Amino acid sequence: MPTKLAITGAAAVAHAMRQINPDVVAAYPITPQTPIVEYFAQFVADGAVDTVMVPVESEHSAMSAVVGSAAAGARTMTATAANGLALMFEIVYIAASMRLPIVMPIVNRALSGPINIHGDHSDAYAVRDAGWIQLFAENSQEAYDMTIIATKLAEREEVLTPAMINLDGFITSHGVEGVEILDDEAVKNFVGLWEPKYPLLDIDNPITHGPLDLFDYYFEHHRQQQEGLKNAYKALPEVFAEYEKISGRKYDFLDLYRMDDAEYVMVVLNSAASTAKYVVDELREKGIKAGLVKPWVFTPFPKKEILSALDGRKAVVVLDRAMSFGKEAPLYSLIKSALYEAKEKPMIGSYVYGLGGRDVTPSMLHIPFEEAIKGELDPNDERYLGLKE
Amino acid sequence: MPKYDSWKEMPIAGVIDKPATAREYNTGTWRIMRPIVNKDACINCMQCWLYCPDMAIEGKVKEDGKTEMIGFDYNYCKGCGTCAKVCPVNAIEMKPETEFLK
């Protein structure tokens, strides 16, 4: 029987990690990820898992250690946030190009400076081209579910690509919510055993990992990575369907909220989607056909699904919790690009909100809808919610 | 790494799945200047063989005990020009690779 616990998002992720029981976890604590590895270290100390826990001296070492461990053939995980991810950056790319199915929850927060430790998506966007699968979780339940789903997806032979699970710093990681924890056995059976294709520890078949790869084959290996992500896109519906069988919770590329007949659509990632759903409900009560699209999957970017969800709507407003300095906001530019192929292009608008943990209120999220309804959107005008003008 | 013609057939991630494949790896593709030996001028002193920083000079010891310079292994020659520089009779000429482009 699944158990319902009142726990933080960090604890929920740690429980998922406990049930997955990875062979190795190497981690360095960084706010607001710290409680994930603290809870997990407790599970290791209590003997609740067989994991070898490697405390390292920095995130650069944490990612290096998990690369070595995964290349050796061990199921390996770590977790990080913001500046920790930035310090890992170099090895983040290497993990992906070495095709090691490492699973890493990212507790999203601002990449300073000026110094800030709060919720923001600049860390997730900064690694969007590193070659990792990127899933986004609105709340603790989704963060728990996505950690389990990511493990299954990343390890598929045709995928073999590392995966990040993004949850909002403090809002999700430290907020207490009711989370349904599956039976240990159900999770164990779902993720199964990882049988690595090229384990370094297979001494009967000596192999080399991470050799020099210059202009002769580097291009081809990157083409293979692209294929891995294309295969992840194909495999996701199947993995989601399998997870639904054990959990009853249905996931997809996009969380479509009141979208059947929606004319005015908001697109937003992670926890702000909860507030947006509340705002959509308020607008619906007034007879306005509002709807919400929340991508659960960011990489591989579900362009086709976005297009079919947004084609023919009256207006689409895209919210980004980070800027792309000198360019259009990251999610907005991807949505705009997807809409190039729309038969009936909606009006579109870009809104940046909640930087560095700034509160996101319902009245704030009414503004993009109001401007959309009045026909005041300008696709080339980046607007700011809650900015001291 | 062994030679592959398509990204579809090579092991992922640059993994080298059998040992001792380094000898199949040609490093001569870096070359922009190609040494050409004039065999009529060459005195087979093997100074080029002695100074070559790789293993790109091909030579042999004949039955009479004398050495003979045969030519170059272009799979490994990086075109550094050391051989041409040390040749006491200027028998080696460095020519741009563009002259040999298909």
Side-chain angles (χ1 to χ4, degrees):
Chain A
M1 271 288 285
T3 328
K4 193 127 185 176
L5 301 176
I7 49 175
T8 63
V13 169
H15 269 290
M17 289 169 71
R18 173 183 63 75
Q19 294 177 315
I20 293 162
N21 192 12
D23 301 305
V24 175
V25 167
Y28 185 82
I30 180 168
T31 307
Q33 166 267 135
T34 308
I36 294 180
V37 291
E38 281 181 352
Y39 284 122
F40 191 73
Q42 188 71 55
F43 290 136
V44 175
D46 292 346
V49 286
D50 306 319
T51 310
V52 174
M53 180 94 194
V54 189
V56 287
E57 103 300 350
S58 75
E59 289 84 358
H60 191 273
S61 300
M63 187 41 61
S64 301
V66 298
V67 163
S69 157
R75 178 178 273 162
T76 308
M77 298 176 80
T78 184
T80 195
N83 296 52
L85 181 60
L87 190 50
M88 285 179 174
F89 185 78
E90 178 190 15
I91 321 294
V92 164
Y93 271 73
I94 291 170
S97 61
M98 286 178 70
R99 308 298 295 277
L100 302 171
I102 297 156
V103 171
M104 175 161 72
I106 308 283
V107 186
N108 301 127
R109 70 160 156 98
L111 276 176
S112 310
I115 298 169
N116 183 297
I117 59 164
H118 290 285
D120 187 296
H121 294 158
S122 48
D123 53 359
Y125 289 147
V127 292
R128 61 168 228 182
D129 295 332
W132 287 55
I133 293 159
Q134 290 177 298
L135 308 176
F136 276 76
E138 180 179 332
N139 50 40
S140 304
Q141 183 69 61
E142 291 187 7
Y144 167 85
D145 293 337
M146 290 288 182
T147 305
I148 298 165
I149 288 167
T151 304
K152 177 103 173 174
L153 176 69
E155 291 175 357
R156 281 176 71 127
E157 192 180 339
E158 79 278 22
V159 177
L160 285 179
T161 299
M164 295 173 186
I165 301 94
N166 292 278
L167 55 148
D168 281 337
F170 299 105
I171 300 161
T172 308
S173 64
H174 288 59
V176 174
E177 291 178 304
V179 179
E180 190 183 285
I181 303 288
L182 300 173
D183 289 339
D184 291 358
E185 205 60 25
V187 177
K188 191 178 164 188
N189 292 337
F190 178 77
V191 294
L193 275 181
W194 181 39
E195 288 176 28
K197 200 172 175 189
Y198 300 113
L200 269 178
L201 294 181
D202 178 3
I203 52 172
D204 294 327
N205 298 294
I207 47 126
T208 302
H209 266 283
L212 190 67
D213 194 20
L214 300 180
F215 36 67
D216 41 6
Y217 293 125
Y218 183 83
F219 200 165
E220 283 70 24
H221 287 129
H222 275 226
R223 177 63 186 80
Q224 287 179 338
Q225 277 182 260
Q226 188 72 293
E227 198 66 10
L229 278 154
K230 281 185 183 179
N231 290 339
Y233 173 78
K234 282 185 212 148
L236 267 161
E238 205 178 296
V239 178
F240 283 146
E242 279 178 58
Y243 190 72
E244 190 187 352
K245 272 187 211 147
I246 65 160
S247 68
R249 287 183 289 279
K250 193 172 167 60
Y251 287 99
D252 204 337
F253 290 103
L254 306 174
D255 183 5
L256 301 176
Y257 186 74
R258 304 193 82 160
M259 279 296 290
D260 287 348
D261 60 344
E263 293 174 344
Y264 303 98
V265 182
M266 180 172 277
V267 185
V268 67
L269 291 165
N270 271 11
S271 64
S274 297
T275 315
K277 285 172 183 172
Y278 177 82
V279 170
V280 165
D281 289 345
E282 282 188 333
L283 291 169
R284 285 276 175 177
E285 275 168 31
K286 287 186 205 157
I288 296 161
K289 288 178 177 170
L292 174 84
V293 172
K294 181 195 73 184
W296 270 310
V297 183
F298 182 70
T299 311
F301 190 70
K303 190 178 139 180
K304 207 178 78 193
E305 288 72 16
I306 291 275
L307 182 61
S308 83
L310 302 181
D311 198 346
R313 311 289 177 169
K314 275 190 183 161
V316 174
V317 288
V318 184
L319 271 61
D320 277 271
R321 200 165 196 153
M323 290 187 197
S324 181
F325 299 113
K327 302 184 289 299
E328 288 177 339
L331 181 61
Y332 175 68
S333 71
L334 286 166
I335 300 284
K336 196 179 185 183
S337 148
L339 285 171
Y340 181 78
E341 292 163 56
K343 287 187 187 73
E344 289 176 71
K345 286 194 181 67
M347 286 193 300
I348 47 175
S350 172
Y351 292 83
V352 172
Y353 74 100
L355 297 198
R358 177 150 300 175
D359 269 349
V360 185
T361 62
S363 61
M364 211 179 263
L365 296 193
H366 271 286
I367 296 167
F369 280 118
E370 280 164 19
E371 294 183 348
I373 293 159
K374 285 186 211 151
E376 289 172 355
L377 297 184
D378 176 352
N380 295 313
D381 182 21
E382 183 172 280
R383 294 173 187 171
Y384 308 97
L385 300 172
L387 176 75
K388 296 177 181 79
E389 298 277 3
Chain B
M1 182 185 286
K3 210 165 174 49
Y4 294 106
D5 293 326
S6 163
W7 63 271
K8 291 173 193 149
E9 64 185 46
M10 56 182 85
I12 59 165
V15 164
I16 297 171
D17 58 358
K18 57 177 188 274
T21 53
R23 61 174 64 108
E24 297 173 46
Y25 190 78
N26 297 340
T27 48
T29 53
W30 305 357
R31 190 177 58 243
I32 58 165
M33 296 295 277
R34 180 183 294 202
I36 301 292
V37 62
N38 175 359
K39 291 290 285 181
D40 293 337
C42 173
I43 55 170
N44 296 307
C45 68
M46 301 311 282
Q47 288 289 307
C48 53
W49 175 83
L50 187 62
Y51 279 94
C52 177
D54 207 300
M55 43 185 275
I57 311 286
E58 292 178 324
K60 69 172 181 188
V61 180
K62 294 188 289 189
E63 275 176 27
D64 60 6
K66 290 184 178 164
T67 52
E68 185 187 350
M69 194 278 188
I70 296 171
F72 304 93
D73 184 343
Y74 292 116
N75 287 331
Y76 298 102
C77 171
K78 295 166 194 72
C80 69
T82 303
C83 54
K85 207 87 178 170
V86 299
C87 179
V89 293
N90 294 325
I92 298 172
E93 189 188 351
M94 298 303 291
K95 291 190 167 177
E97 275 297 322
T98 47
E99 288 184 19
F100 304 94
L101 281 179
K102 274 184 267 183

